[in-house]
Amino acid sequence: MDCYTANWNPLGDSAFYRKYELYSMDWDLKEELRDCLVAAAPYGGPIALLRNPWRKEKPASARPVLEIYSASGVPLASLLWKSGPVVSLGWSAEEELLCVQEDGVVLVYGLHGDFRRHFSMGNEVLQNRVLDARIFHTEFGSGVAILTGAHRFTLSANVGDLKLRRMPEVPGLQSAPSCWTALCQDRVAHILLAVGPDLYLLDHAACSAVTPPGLAPGVSSFLQMAVSFTYRHLALFTDTGYIWMGTASLKEKLCEFNCNIRAPPKQMVWCSRPRSKEKAVVVAWERRLMVVGDAPESIQFVLDEDSYLVPELDGVRVFSRSTHEFLHEVPVASEEIFKIASMAPGALLLEAQKEYEKESQKADEYLREIQELGQLPQAVQQCIEAAGHEHWPDMQKSLLRAASFGKCFLDRFPPDSFVRMCQDLRVLNAVRDYHIGIPLTYSQYKQLTIQVLLDRLVLRRLYPLAIQICEYLRLPEVQGVSRILAHWACYKVQQKDVSDEDVARAINQKLGDTPGVSYSDIAARAYGCGRTELAIKLLEYEPRSGEQVPLLLKMKRSKLALSKAIESGDTDLVFTVLLHLKNELNRGDFFMTLRNQPMALSLYRQFCKHQELETLKDLYNQDDNHQELGSFHIRASYAAEERIEGRVAALQTAADAFYKAKNEFAAKATEDQMRLLRLQRRLEDELGGRFLDLSLHDTVTTLILSGQNKRAEQLARDFRIPDKSFPTGSGG
Amino acid sequence: MAFPHRPDAPELPDFSMLKRLARDQLIYLLEQLPGKKDLFIEADLMSPLDRIANVSILKQHEVDKLYKVEKKPAFSSSEQLCFLVRPRIKNMRYIASLVNADKVAGRTRKYKVIFSPQKFYACEMVLEEEGVYGDVSCDEWAFSLLPLDVDLLSMELPEFFRDYFLEGDQRWINTLAQALHLLSTLYGPFPNCYGIGRCAKMSYELWKRLEEEEDGETKGRRPEIGHIFLLDRDMDFVTALCSQVVYEGLVDDTFRIKCGSVDFGPEVTSSDKSLKVLLNAEDKVFNEIRNEHFSNVFGFLSQKARNLQAQYDRRRGMDIKQMKNFVSQELKGLKQEHRLLSLHIGACESIMKKKTKQDFQELIKTEHALLEGFNIRESTNYIEEHIDRQVSPIESLRLMCLLSITENGLIPKDYRSLKTQYLQSYGPEHLLTFSNLRRAGLLTEQAPGDTLTAVESKVSKLVTDKAAGKITDAFSSLAKRSNFRAISKKLNLIPRVDGEYDLKVPRDMAYVFSGAYVPLSCRIIEQVLERRGWQGLDEVVRLLNCSELAFTDMTKDDKASSESLRLILVVFLGGCTFSEISALRFLGREKGYRFIFLTTAVTNSARLMEAMSEVKA
């Protein structure tokens, strides 16, 4: 490992920068990079290329092709661009490709070139065209900022929740700014733009001129500006070949550098590590790459090919037609261990382990040296940490082996940092693989979190790997495996070439009764893709009827929903469906449906009894249920009518119904009641006193008690009261 | 002479936890509406609420005034109104009218509706239709199990019976399943489950589904209660329709026990005041006589009185120190016992007075004749006379139903004439009651000859066919042939009497009906527990029209202790009577089990009949 630091380049006294190859690209690029619109997503994300025919003098007649590659150059999608001219491409935080068209329409594509949606950046743009656009990331999501032909800016800080903000006018702006960028400060997005020697900051209220402190004199124009990954720092490149670096608030200058190159750079990006004191920017020209920082000298690289810079959290990715490299500041732990002639504990431990493998007694000497200083725990920790920052598995292994070796001589060293690093590296190496092509560094991975990484794998349809990772890390099923399987199933239902049966079976086979998987969600997705039949099949697997019903209703399978609701035994659910059906069907059909579902019918009847009496009558009518209809009218005779005629009329209707129901007993009894009522009325008129609503017996008794024996006997005869039942007047 | 429990009888689980849970939840809900508020309580919920949280607890949580939910409008000046109601549509209309009246008056207040035990969608819909849904906030007080006694849990839902067995409304089944789920989370899973009846089966299935959805929680737990038995009330209407002669049942029939307490009127208290008395195991006197046949109670009480007197008498000849001891330690207990004793003696006297007036012996004789199935003509005549004499509309109706069920329906001639006489005697509005009773299968007409059996077998096949599922109620009443006589023979419900049945030393559960009849429901439970399932009871199950509706589910659970395996939870869907409780308590003592009762409500014949009656609006 003598030459291990061969690719380390010092910048000033305290920092080293190294550039190493991530992948050798064998993408089959048809165009030169310089002829394309390029967008590469951070965190080792995908690369989108669109040959830009619209900017050329002679517009090509052939439609351009939009191509999406993984970071390792594996093609993910390729589609013929049929829409309008594109000004700019960019990736959102959810790894969706945003294509800003000249007419202000933004088309959103998925990782696999599937069209998701589109939105417009406002009507104003229609006339003025979009001159330039930037996609930027904020804590709310991903934002889009555009510069229109009228030299006005419009931005939206979150495309997921689109709110367009038209920025104030810059006074006296006649031509397009020489460079501009979106800034994000205090949760608000601003625009910083350069016009000649002046800088302006646009917030949503005002436009203010700003001056960077300590800017060298003689600047007549700014050619490039770059904001750091975290929006904390800003770099400006002037026409004098001078670079100013400071805070994004423009309150403080960090350093400056004069590179003496007046040609405008192609790209300028920040290259810094979180929590590092070193600040540096990488500037790229056609054939030259320069790292400049707070040092009199810069680091220079020669570029053999057209290259493109992708700023990352802890460095810069540089890709070209044939390679994909990573340029970053060497992390502290690595520096301590590998710096030439380092006596850091980690370095000694690594040495000791190597000697130990060579079966040399020097191992003991090194070890003793560390132990005498009592630095073995730090040594182990350093090796573990350094392993995390190494890209090559061999080097990771040898560092981890050293850590493990050192651990043997420690009584109480908590094992979790070692174990966790081993696990993390395993995951990282797996996703860095050429076929997967997500070249995450350890710091990026920690920032991104495992959940998001899993989401990204799912987005790339790498379900098996995602599941393997879940199982390997023993993530709880609901967050891990089940979630991924559910995503897989949602993808599966979109495969239109597979039959409904096969899809449903395949999904059920894989998912089974995995906890946390909702078949109704998958079914909802299937319905979303227009596969209603498949959705119904999938719902069959849903164990909770309560979950089936809402979707069935949405799919207009109300009758099926009704039987599912009944199956669930949840009367509230049944009721929900009933109300739905009531609005959906005409009355006759609704009643017919009820008729076949006695449970629902009883429920609805109960409701009607209290709330919609008329409907209840209609229900009975529909069913030709004359018996109940009779009862209904009898009830009505008590409830509504005070006047005797009304009551008698209601009773007559009831009696008719009873006859229709072939219930002669009830019909006769009702007729008797009518007779009795009329009679009682007469008695009240003739004799006074209260007779109405007495029972027959009580009427007779009352008559006897008031000495009307004749009438009493007449009554008993009329109503054929059996002799033995004839009241004696003593009240029984 | 009160039967002591066998020494090996298992301990009952502590159900007071249910009370604490309900109280805490209610307090939480009240706290959700901070500040002073007036509480409107539905009449039916007042007694249960009182058992959970008394007025002072309510006051502590800033309940200012209490109102009863009534038909008439209430005048509350509070800025916040809280309604504690059952999920009934009429309550919603009441609340809506209050809110709308406020709106007209331009008043804005906060309204909160707490539904107990749960809210129904229909209720919210009515609120919406009345245009007040946005003005009120709704909450649920999942208070579904009230421990009335150490071994008796009641859901206090008397409407369950009518809603399900008459109207075919299944909404309470969910409530019941939730309640069972709560029990299994608190007291561990039930390793052995049995049940019979459509409602029992549905409740059971829903309950199991709930457990599956929330799996894990109960699995690891040790079962505290070894068996659960679910039984539909319509499996056995006969027992519920009989006059009760066990003390507790008799008190219920005479004075109506409401939510575990009874109002003894002046005729009992022998003062000019009524007295509300809590009847449960804590009342020592009551606890000893509650399960006794009434004929023993008086003797027992007088013996008790003599003992008490003797204890008082010990005072004589005490020196000062002994006297001091006596006063400080025993006197209070004796006084308490004295008070209770005089109350129960008063109650007994009052019962005796009422019963002799009504010719109780004759009535009981008729009932026994009906149960045994002899002298049907005579019994029918008795019922006719009963109706003509206008003894009591509910009682007459009860006897008619008893006749109908034991005889598999009335013969057409009697069916007509009894009904006619009933309508003439008690009023024509009962025509609707008859229609209800027919629908519920309580009062039916014998169809002539074999034609019925053909139809019946077809229909019952339909009913049991799972695909046909829940067949219309119009059909089911047809299928509900009671077959009481055959079942009675099969299960030996009428004990053969050699000489006098000694009610002091009961031989079997028949003692709760003076030795004339073993309650059918209790016999079914006894048989199933003995056989650990329905094996060998196929014929009975068929006669009960429940071929597909009897189920057993036994899990091999080694964790169940032998103690827990002798604890049995019996769930009565549609209510149970105190006679049934007494009978099973007796069975438990005989076999070394302890029964725990869960009922939708405690019922008796009068309550059943009233539930079927149509009252004039």
Side-chain angles (χ1 to χ4, degrees):
Chain A
M1 267 309 139
D2 297 328
C3 57
Y4 186 72
T5 53
N7 64 347
W8 290 23
N9 301 286
L11 187 72
D13 304 328
S14 49
F16 292 91
Y17 286 78
R18 71 174 166 190
K19 189 163 71 118
Y20 58 83
E21 192 182 68
L22 295 170
Y23 304 108
S24 70
M25 307 287 274
D26 61 349
W27 50 3
D28 188 21
L29 284 187
K30 289 175 203 74
E31 307 287 337
E32 287 302 316
L33 275 180
R34 75 168 79 87
D35 293 335
C36 296
L37 286 172
V38 182
Y43 294 101
I47 303 166
L49 298 172
L50 179 65
R51 191 174 60 84
N52 189 349
W54 304 287
R55 215 164 259 181
K56 289 279 153 139
E57 306 72 44
K58 40 171 185 144
S61 56
R63 290 180 188 282
V65 178
L66 173 69
E67 291 179 304
I68 300 172
Y69 296 92
S70 79
S72 56
V74 174
L76 295 175
S78 166
L79 61 139
L80 213 57
W81 188 259
K82 290 177 184 159
S83 311
V86 176
V87 175
S88 180
L89 295 177
W91 291 94
S92 75
E94 294 83 32
E95 295 199 324
E96 283 177 328
L97 183 62
L98 308 175
C99 311
V100 186
Q101 290 192 146
E102 208 176 72
D103 58 0
V105 173
V106 181
L107 303 173
V108 185
Y109 285 87
L111 198 60
H112 296 273
D114 43 322
F115 178 74
R116 293 276 164 84
R117 60 182 191 280
H118 69 89
F119 57 88
S120 163
M121 290 301 288
N123 289 330
E124 181 219 13
V125 198
L126 279 174
Q127 295 163 2
N128 295 324
R129 309 273 104 187
V130 178
L131 285 186
D132 197 3
R134 296 281 146 80
I135 282 94
F136 57 98
H137 302 280
T138 66
E139 54 262 77
F140 311 113
S142 309
V144 177
I146 55 163
L147 169 64
T148 68
H151 311 303
R152 293 288 299 265
F153 290 93
T154 299
L155 67 77
S156 161
N158 180 7
V159 295
D161 174 25
L162 195 70
K163 284 195 191 86
L164 293 179
R165 236 176 41 224
R166 194 155 179 244
M167 303 306 266
E169 206 170 347
V170 182
L173 186 62
Q174 290 304 322
S175 59
S178 56
C179 58
W180 64 279
T181 185
L183 273 178
C184 228
Q185 277 168 340
D186 304 327
R187 309 166 70 80
V188 184
H190 308 278
I191 300 281
L192 182 69
L193 69 152
V195 184
D198 304 315
L199 285 175
Y200 296 97
L201 187 67
L202 291 178
D203 57 23
H204 52 276
C207 166
S208 42
V210 284
T211 340
L215 185 76
V219 173
S220 60
S221 149
F222 295 93
L223 299 182
Q224 249 321 340
M225 57 174 74
V227 195
S228 68
F229 203 76
T230 51
Y231 293 102
R232 215 168 287 153
H233 302 111
L234 177 74
L236 301 164
F237 189 98
T238 70
D239 57 345
T240 50
Y242 164 86
I243 302 169
W244 180 92
M245 286 179 259
T247 56
S249 55
L250 290 166
K251 293 215 171 91
E252 204 184 320
K253 183 170 93 167
L254 291 170
C255 54
E256 57 185 9
F257 185 81
N258 209 323
C259 68
N260 293 320
I261 301 173
R262 282 164 185 258
K266 256 180 63 190
Q267 268 183 295
M268 177 167 77
V269 300
W270 280 86
C271 175
S272 56
R273 214 156 35 76
R275 286 182 297 282
S276 165
K277 270 184 257 143
E278 301 300 324
K279 306 291 167 220
V281 290
V282 179
V283 195
W285 288 269
E286 206 65 26
R287 284 287 177 264
R288 191 205 300 264
L289 193 70
M290 194 186 273
V291 183
V292 302
D294 192 8
E297 294 297 316
S298 65
I299 305 166
Q300 307 237 3
F301 298 99
V302 174
L303 294 174
D304 302 328
E305 298 173 285
D306 231 7
S307 294
Y308 189 84
L309 306 185
V310 189
E312 289 280 5
L313 177 73
D314 55 348
V316 178
R317 283 190 289 136
V318 186
F319 65 84
S320 67
R321 178 179 272 277
S322 59
T323 60
H324 193 160
E325 293 174 308
F326 188 62
L327 169 62
H328 74 144
E329 184 203 340
V330 176
V332 184
S334 311
E335 189 184 320
E336 297 247 291
I337 290 176
F338 294 112
K339 204 161 69 180
I340 294 168
S342 170
M343 293 297 277
L348 292 175
L349 181 60
L350 184 63
E351 250 352 272
Q353 198 270 337
K354 278 180 191 159
E355 294 301 332
Y356 170 74
E357 261 175 28
K358 280 189 237 158
E359 300 181 10
S360 152
Q361 87 285 0
K362 275 191 190 162
D364 182 51
E365 282 171 31
Y366 284 125
L367 207 54
R368 233 174 254 281
E369 209 178 321
I370 312 172
Q371 272 174 321
E372 269 161 23
L373 292 167
Q375 286 179 328
L376 195 49
Q378 288 97 302
V380 174
Q381 203 54 54
Q382 250 174 13
C383 286
I384 294 174
E385 216 179 293
H389 295 297
E390 288 307 312
H391 187 70
W392 305 110
D394 285 342
M395 191 44 85
Q396 295 165 1
K397 275 187 209 158
S398 79
L399 283 164
L400 286 173
R401 232 178 277 131
S404 155
F405 175 70
K407 250 157 47 91
C408 300
F409 301 94
L410 284 170
D411 288 342
R412 244 175 252 139
F413 187 83
D416 31 325
S417 63
F418 180 77
V419 173
R420 215 175 308 125
M421 182 56 78
C422 291
Q423 289 179 337
D424 287 343
L425 281 177
R426 206 157 178 177
V427 172
L428 280 176
N429 289 335
V431 300
R432 283 171 188 167
D433 183 273
Y434 177 83
H435 299 284
I436 309 298
I438 307 179
L440 279 180
T441 65
Y442 182 75
S443 322
Q444 290 166 16
Y445 168 63
K446 283 292 150 184
Q447 179 73 23
L448 199 63
T449 73
I450 181 70
Q451 294 303 340
V452 178
L453 177 60
L454 286 172
D455 282 346
R456 300 208 157 172
L457 290 175
V458 164
L459 217 55
R460 285 165 174 73
R461 299 177 192 156
L462 298 166
Y463 305 106
L465 177 65
I467 287 176
Q468 269 172 5
I469 289 176
C470 291
E471 283 170 352
Y472 174 66
L473 295 178
R474 302 215 181 95
L475 294 181
E477 280 209 329
V478 178
Q479 297 169 22
V481 176
S482 319
R483 206 165 55 100
I484 291 158
L485 280 174
H487 278 293
W488 166 79
C490 288
Y491 166 62
K492 190 83 186 160
V493 297
Q494 296 168 28
Q495 296 182 339
K496 305 228 163 162
D497 47 333
V498 188
S499 78
D500 290 346
E501 278 83 23
D502 292 346
V503 173
R505 205 176 317 114
I507 288 176
N508 183 240
Q509 260 168 18
K510 274 253 164 48
L511 268 61
D513 295 328
T514 319
V517 170
S518 160
Y519 277 99
S520 50
D521 287 353
I522 302 168
R525 181 65 71 93
Y527 174 62
C529 305
R531 299 183 74 168
T532 312
E533 286 309 313
L534 175 60
I536 291 171
K537 283 204 168 60
L538 286 169
L539 277 181
E540 290 293 320
Y541 297 116
E542 173 64 59
R544 293 159 298 172
S545 315
E547 298 287 311
Q548 301 173 328
V549 173
L551 185 60
L552 285 172
L553 282 182
K554 214 168 118 196
M555 298 194 297
K556 305 239 180 298
R557 300 295 166 113
S558 314
K559 287 180 190 173
L560 189 58
L562 184 60
S563 42
K564 287 286 174 199
I566 290 170
E567 231 171 72
S568 80
D570 181 347
T571 46
D572 272 5
L573 206 55
V574 178
F575 210 85
T576 321
V577 182
L578 279 182
L579 289 184
H580 206 95
L581 276 170
K582 192 179 160 194
N583 295 330
E584 191 181 316
L585 302 174
N586 66 42
R587 217 171 162 82
D589 289 347
F590 175 56
F591 286 168
M592 276 309 282
T593 313
L594 279 181
R595 198 168 170 175
N596 299 323
Q597 297 287 4
M599 186 262 200
L601 181 62
S602 319
L603 196 71
Y604 192 63
R605 256 193 220 149
Q606 280 284 81
F607 175 75
C608 290
K609 248 177 218 173
H610 291 106
Q611 195 68 3
E612 292 179 15
L613 274 176
E614 280 308 301
T615 316
L616 187 66
K617 195 171 79 182
D618 295 346
L619 260 174
Y620 291 140
N621 258 325
Q622 168 91 13
D623 283 357
D624 290 333
N625 191 341
H626 297 295
Q627 173 65 32
E628 286 302 327
L629 213 51
S631 299
F632 176 86
H633 286 297
I634 291 203
R635 231 170 256 127
S637 81
Y638 287 112
E641 289 291 344
E642 271 300 309
R643 280 164 43 249
I644 184 116
E645 293 79 13
R647 289 183 58 181
V648 170
L651 287 174
Q652 183 60 56
T653 326
D656 293 346
F658 285 135
Y659 276 121
K660 277 190 200 148
K662 301 217 163 41
N663 186 344
E664 288 206 11
F665 176 83
K668 286 255 154 50
T670 308
E671 282 170 351
D672 279 351
Q673 191 187 350
M674 287 154 60
R675 266 167 63 207
L676 183 64
L677 267 180
R678 287 205 194 94
L679 199 106
Q680 285 171 333
R681 183 53 184 278
R682 210 160 52 225
L683 287 175
E684 277 188 9
D685 287 349
E686 287 170 17
L687 305 173
R690 182 114 186 101
F691 283 94
L692 269 182
D693 281 330
L694 291 182
S695 75
L696 183 58
H697 276 218
D698 292 340
T699 312
V700 174
T701 311
T702 313
L703 283 174
I704 293 172
L705 287 179
S706 52
Q708 303 282 344
N709 285 349
K710 267 229 167 91
R711 278 180 188 260
E713 274 167 38
Q714 180 63 40
L715 199 61
R717 261 200 307 284
D718 287 353
F719 284 91
R720 283 192 227 114
I721 299 179
D723 284 345
K724 60 179 175 181
S725 324
F726 187 75
T728 53
S730 64
Chain B
M1 82 174 212
F3 327 96
H5 282 287
R6 281 179 20 170
D8 62 345
E11 283 287 315
L12 290 167
D14 174 22
F15 290 116
S16 61
M17 203 191 310
L18 292 168
K19 274 193 197 175
R20 283 202 302 278
L21 263 177
R23 180 162 54 228
D24 291 353
Q25 208 200 344
L26 179 65
I27 290 172
Y28 173 78
L29 288 172
L30 289 175
E31 294 286 309
Q32 296 286 89
L33 193 67
K36 275 205 180 311
K37 58 220 152 218
D38 282 358
L39 186 62
F40 288 69
I41 309 168
E42 174 155 15
D44 290 2
L45 271 168
M46 282 187 155
S47 304
L49 176 67
D50 200 39
R51 301 288 298 262
I52 295 297
N54 53 29
V55 176
S56 68
I57 289 181
L58 295 179
K59 297 261 172 195
Q60 269 171 33
H61 297 281
E62 299 184 88
V63 170
D64 195 18
K65 292 199 190 82
L66 291 167
Y67 295 90
K68 198 159 138 187
V69 171
E70 284 169 310
K71 273 190 182 157
K72 54 178 192 264
F75 300 99
S76 157
S77 58
S78 179
E79 283 312 301
Q80 306 197 87
L81 306 184
C82 190
F83 301 89
L84 185 59
V85 292
R86 292 268 185 234
R88 293 173 180 146
I89 286 174
K90 72 170 172 38
N91 290 331
M92 297 306 106
R93 284 219 290 266
Y94 171 78
I95 293 167
S97 70
L98 259 166
V99 177
N100 281 328
D102 277 358
K103 276 188 185 169
V104 170
R107 233 185 130 164
T108 43
R109 311 198 235 200
K110 273 194 173 172
Y111 312 93
K112 183 186 183 76
V113 186
I114 302 174
F115 292 99
S116 176
Q118 66 175 113
K119 69 178 169 207
F120 288 124
Y121 183 60
C123 290
E124 289 178 297
M125 221 199 72
V126 172
L127 288 177
E128 204 181 319
E129 278 182 3
E130 304 278 333
V132 298
Y133 188 65
D135 305 288
V136 301
S137 62
C138 294
D139 252 313
E140 285 182 339
W141 182 31
F143 163 52
S144 53
L145 289 170
L146 174 65
L148 288 180
D149 208 336
V150 287
D151 59 351
L152 175 58
L153 308 175
S154 168
M155 295 179 71
E156 292 296 308
L157 283 176
E159 64 253 60
F160 186 104
F161 177 68
R162 183 177 166 125
D163 280 352
Y164 180 79
F165 291 102
L166 179 63
E167 313 278 7
D169 184 341
Q170 302 178 0
R171 63 194 172 146
W172 296 116
I173 292 179
N174 191 28
T175 318
L176 183 80
Q178 299 277 6
L180 292 175
H181 182 53
L182 175 67
L183 281 182
S184 65
T185 27
L186 291 178
Y187 303 102
F190 297 89
N192 304 300
C193 307
Y194 320 93
I196 187 162
R198 183 177 304 285
C199 185
K201 194 161 189 209
M202 283 196 282
S203 315
Y204 178 75
E205 280 165 4
L206 202 57
W207 170 38
K208 285 290 135 179
R209 215 176 304 153
L210 280 179
E211 309 256 288
E212 267 168 37
E213 272 172 34
E214 250 176 72
D215 59 350
E217 273 188 50
T218 56
K219 273 191 184 134
R221 285 206 51 169
R222 246 178 104 92
E224 278 187 55
I225 304 166
H227 308 264
I228 181 168
F229 197 114
L230 293 101
L231 184 97
D232 279 14
R233 182 70 268 174
D234 67 349
M235 289 300 107
D236 175 18
F237 279 136
V238 173
T239 306
L241 287 175
C242 290
S243 298
Q244 306 195 70
V245 285
V246 173
Y247 184 65
E248 192 168 8
L250 201 48
V251 171
D252 190 27
D253 275 0
T254 320
F255 304 101
R256 298 237 165 169
I257 300 176
K258 205 173 137 201
C259 200
S261 68
V262 67
D263 273 319
F264 281 137
E267 78 278 13
V268 175
T269 54
S270 46
S271 65
D272 47 358
K273 273 190 301 200
S274 285
L275 195 60
K276 195 171 172 185
V277 185
L278 218 52
L279 294 178
N280 57 29
E282 270 162 42
D283 177 341
K284 295 233 168 53
V285 178
F286 176 69
N287 197 34
E288 285 188 78
I289 53 174
R290 66 196 305 184
N291 300 316
E292 288 291 330
H293 189 273
F294 187 64
S295 62
N296 298 337
V297 173
F298 219 70
F300 173 84
L301 289 177
S302 57
Q303 179 62 41
K304 192 91 188 164
R306 276 197 294 279
N307 291 350
L308 203 60
Q309 190 58 50
Q311 286 198 313
Y312 273 124
D313 287 346
R314 283 197 299 129
R315 268 179 314 177
R316 284 182 212 132
M318 277 182 184
D319 57 27
I320 290 202
K321 204 174 159 209
Q322 283 170 320
M323 186 62 105
K324 198 178 153 201
N325 239 345
F326 175 80
V327 171
S328 67
Q329 285 170 11
E330 288 175 51
L331 193 60
K332 200 171 163 228
L334 287 179
K335 277 213 161 138
Q336 165 81 356
E337 212 171 319
H338 182 119
R339 196 181 63 86
L340 292 170
L341 199 55
S342 62
L343 264 180
H344 288 295
I345 289 172
C348 280
E349 278 176 347
S350 173
I351 290 170
M352 295 274 265
K353 221 181 274 166
K354 278 184 189 151
K355 294 302 173 193
T356 41
K357 199 172 107 193
Q358 281 175 19
D359 225 350
F360 197 52
Q361 286 308 324
E362 197 65 22
L363 181 75
I364 294 287
K365 224 176 88 191
T366 308
E367 279 183 28
H368 289 178
L370 289 175
L371 289 168
E372 287 171 50
F374 65 83
N375 286 346
I376 295 305
R377 188 45 36 211
E378 216 166 275
S379 301
T380 313
N381 291 341
Y382 178 85
I383 297 171
E384 271 181 2
E385 200 191 319
H386 200 271
I387 293 170
D388 289 339
R389 282 168 52 212
Q390 293 186 316
V391 180
S392 138
I394 290 295
E395 282 275 283
S396 301
L397 211 53
R398 173 175 77 87
L399 289 170
M400 284 165 73
C401 291
L402 201 57
L403 174 66
S404 165
I405 295 182
T406 51
E407 285 297 299
N408 246 345
L410 302 177
I411 51 171
K413 190 177 130 277
D414 288 347
Y415 186 62
R416 260 152 225 266
S417 73
L418 281 176
K419 282 205 300 191
T420 311
Q421 287 175 57
Y422 192 95
L423 292 177
Q424 290 181 343
S425 177
Y426 293 120
E429 68 272 17
H430 289 287
L431 190 63
L432 296 176
T433 310
F434 286 135
S435 145
N436 289 344
L437 287 171
R438 199 180 90 95
R439 191 129 58 97
L442 277 160
L443 184 63
T444 53
E445 183 177 5
Q446 274 177 17
D450 286 341
T451 47
L452 176 86
T453 41
V455 172
E456 179 214 21
S457 67
K458 225 189 235 161
V459 172
S460 64
K461 219 173 162 190
L462 259 176
V463 168
T464 52
D465 188 359
K466 255 198 172 162
K470 293 101 195 182
I471 199 93
T472 46
D473 34 18
F475 269 119
S476 54
S477 70
L478 249 179
K480 269 182 208 150
R481 238 178 92 165
S482 67
N483 298 321
F484 177 75
R485 200 74 61 218
I487 294 169
S488 167
K489 211 171 272 163
K490 207 85 207 156
L491 287 175
N492 204 12
L493 297 182
I494 312 294
R496 209 173 299 156
V497 190
D498 312 320
E500 193 77 350
Y501 189 100
D502 187 358
L503 291 167
K504 282 203 171 68
V505 193
R507 287 194 306 245
D508 52 23
M509 293 189 283
Y511 93 93
V512 300
F513 292 115
S514 313
Y517 161 65
V518 179
L520 168 58
S521 52
C522 304
R523 179 69 104 197
I524 295 174
I525 293 165
E526 178 198 27
Q527 288 293 314
V528 170
L529 287 175
E530 212 163 80
R531 294 158 198 259
R532 315 214 64 189
W534 296 95
Q535 301 90 337
L537 294 171
D538 310 337
E539 182 63 16
V540 176
V541 171
R542 196 187 61 80
L543 288 168
L544 287 167
N545 305 313
C546 276
S547 302
E548 292 275 329
L549 302 174
F551 58 92
T552 321
D553 186 3
M554 305 222 262
T555 45
K556 274 222 176 86
D557 197 330
D558 305 330
K559 284 196 293 263
S561 62
S562 69
E563 177 142 321
S564 73
L565 284 175
R566 283 182 287 121
L567 273 178
I568 300 138
L569 176 69
V570 184
V571 185
F572 284 93
L573 302 144
C576 76
T577 65
F578 281 117
S579 294
E580 287 168 312
I581 293 177
S582 290
L584 287 175
R585 279 180 185 147
F586 170 84
L587 181 70
R589 276 190 302 269
E590 290 288 295
K591 308 256 178 183
Y593 305 139
R594 285 294 294 266
F595 283 95
I596 301 155
F597 306 93
L598 194 173
T599 178
T600 49
V602 175
T603 192
N604 61 18
S605 53
R607 290 193 191 100
L608 283 195
M609 290 297 107
E610 280 157 7
M612 290 292 155
S613 298
E614 290 283 337
V615 251
K616 278 187 273 186

